[in-house]
């Protein structure tokens, strides 16, 4: 099964990262790098995203498209990155996510195969 893991940063977590010194921040990123190395045989792709304020949103409204700068919603949580994984089932995906050392929220969503 293929799943996308969406890594969600909370406002509190972002503040914690900003408060870290360089050595502490390096250690935090090293833990994430180690996690990806540990599951390299399962990860099929993914990336860290630029901050939410760099987003451009296209919204269809009454037959036309409205383009706005910034994220599509104002909120205290934003998707900060993603990874596509291939695992046996949701239980295996859950085991992986339970060891995730980064941001505090990870959404697991199955990939829909289009025919």
């Amino acid at each position: 099964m293929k799943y996308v893991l969406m890594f969600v940063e909370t406002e509190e977590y972002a503040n914690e990262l900003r408060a870290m010194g360089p050595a502490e921040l390096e250690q935090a990123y090293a833990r994430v790098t180690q996690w990806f190395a540990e599951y390299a045989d399962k990860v099929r792709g993914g990336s860290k995203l630029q901050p939410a304020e760099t987003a451009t949103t296209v919204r269809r409204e009454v037959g036309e498209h409205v383009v706005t700068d910034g994220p599509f919603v104002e909120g205290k949580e934003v998707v900060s990155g993603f990874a596509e994984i291939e695992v046996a089932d949701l239980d295996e995906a859950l085991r992986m996510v339970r060891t995730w050392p980064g941001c505090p929220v990870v959404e697991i969503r199955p990939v829909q195969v289009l025919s």
Side-chain angles (χ1 to χ4, degrees), residues 72-87:
F72 66 96
V73 294
E74 293 298 322
K76 295 180 185 260
E77 296 183 349
V78 294
V79 176
S80 61
F82 66 96
E84 183 177 303
I85 62 171
E86 190 165 345
V87 293

Side-chain angles (χ1 to χ4, degrees), residues 32-49:
V32 169
T33 300
Q34 175 59 39
W35 186 90
F36 275 104
E38 182 179 340
Y39 293 106
D41 62 325
K42 311 265 186 240
V43 176
R44 301 294 178 251
S47 194
K48 173 90 171 120
L49 300 174

Side-chain angles (χ1 to χ4, degrees), residues 1-7 35 38-39 41-43 83-101 105-111:
M1 290 276 315
K2 285 188 179 180
Y3 293 93
V4 170
L5 308 180
M6 288 180 277
F7 305 114
W35 186 90
E38 182 179 340
Y39 293 106
D41 62 325
K42 311 265 186 240
V43 176
E84 183 177 303
I85 62 171
E86 190 165 345
V87 293
D89 53 26
L90 179 59
D91 289 334
E92 187 175 0
L94 287 167
R95 283 192 297 276
M96 284 177 65
V97 168
R98 285 186 176 113
T99 66
W100 172 245
V105 179
V106 179
E107 180 178 327
I108 304 170
R109 194 176 300 178
V111 173

